[in-house]
mmCIF file of all heavy atoms in Angstrom:
data_model
loop_
_atom_site.group_PDB
_atom_site.id
_atom_site.type_symbol
_atom_site.label_atom_id
_atom_site.label_comp_id
_atom_site.label_asym_id
_atom_site.label_seq_id
_atom_site.Cartn_x
_atom_site.Cartn_y
_atom_site.Cartn_z
ATOM 1 N N SER C 107 28.998 10.569 4.154
ATOM 2 C CA SER C 107 28.207 9.514 3.538
ATOM 3 C C SER C 107 27.358 10.073 2.420
ATOM 4 O O SER C 107 27.200 9.456 1.362
ATOM 5 C CB SER C 107 27.286 8.868 4.573
ATOM 6 O OG SER C 107 28.038 8.323 5.609
ATOM 7 N N GLN C 155 28.846 0.342 5.653
ATOM 8 C CA GLN C 155 29.416 0.394 6.990
ATOM 9 C C GLN C 155 29.300 -0.940 7.725
ATOM 10 O O GLN C 155 30.264 -1.475 8.224
ATOM 11 C CB GLN C 155 28.662 1.486 7.758
ATOM 12 C CG GLN C 155 29.107 1.663 9.168
ATOM 13 C CD GLN C 155 28.609 2.981 9.732
ATOM 14 O OE1 GLN C 155 27.801 3.670 9.116
ATOM 15 N NE2 GLN C 155 29.092 3.351 10.898
ATOM 16 N N ASP C 235 31.875 3.048 2.676
ATOM 17 C CA ASP C 235 31.401 3.952 3.724
ATOM 18 C C ASP C 235 31.715 3.355 5.098
ATOM 19 O O ASP C 235 31.006 2.481 5.568
ATOM 20 C CB ASP C 235 29.898 4.188 3.561
ATOM 21 C CG ASP C 235 29.423 5.343 4.421
ATOM 22 O OD1 ASP C 235 30.225 5.851 5.219
ATOM 23 O OD2 ASP C 235 28.243 5.719 4.297
ATOM 24 N N GLU C 236 32.780 3.823 5.705
ATOM 25 C CA GLU C 236 33.229 3.302 6.995
ATOM 26 C C GLU C 236 33.202 1.781 7.039
ATOM 27 O O GLU C 236 32.539 1.189 7.885
ATOM 28 C CB GLU C 236 32.350 3.852 8.117
ATOM 29 C CG GLU C 236 32.302 5.368 8.098
ATOM 30 C CD GLU C 236 31.708 5.929 9.387
ATOM 31 O OE1 GLU C 236 31.922 5.308 10.427
ATOM 32 O OE2 GLU C 236 31.074 6.981 9.333
ATOM 33 N N VAL C 265 35.157 6.448 3.134
ATOM 34 C CA VAL C 265 34.779 7.365 4.209
ATOM 35 C C VAL C 265 35.236 6.734 5.500
ATOM 36 O O VAL C 265 35.049 5.533 5.702
ATOM 37 C CB VAL C 265 33.247 7.550 4.239
ATOM 38 C CG1 VAL C 265 32.805 8.149 5.568
ATOM 39 C CG2 VAL C 265 32.783 8.416 3.092
HETATM 40 MG MG1 MG E 946 28.094 8.327 7.474
#
Side-chain angles (χ1 to χ4, degrees):
Chain C
S107 300
Q155 179 164 9
D235 193 353
E236 305 193 33
V265 163

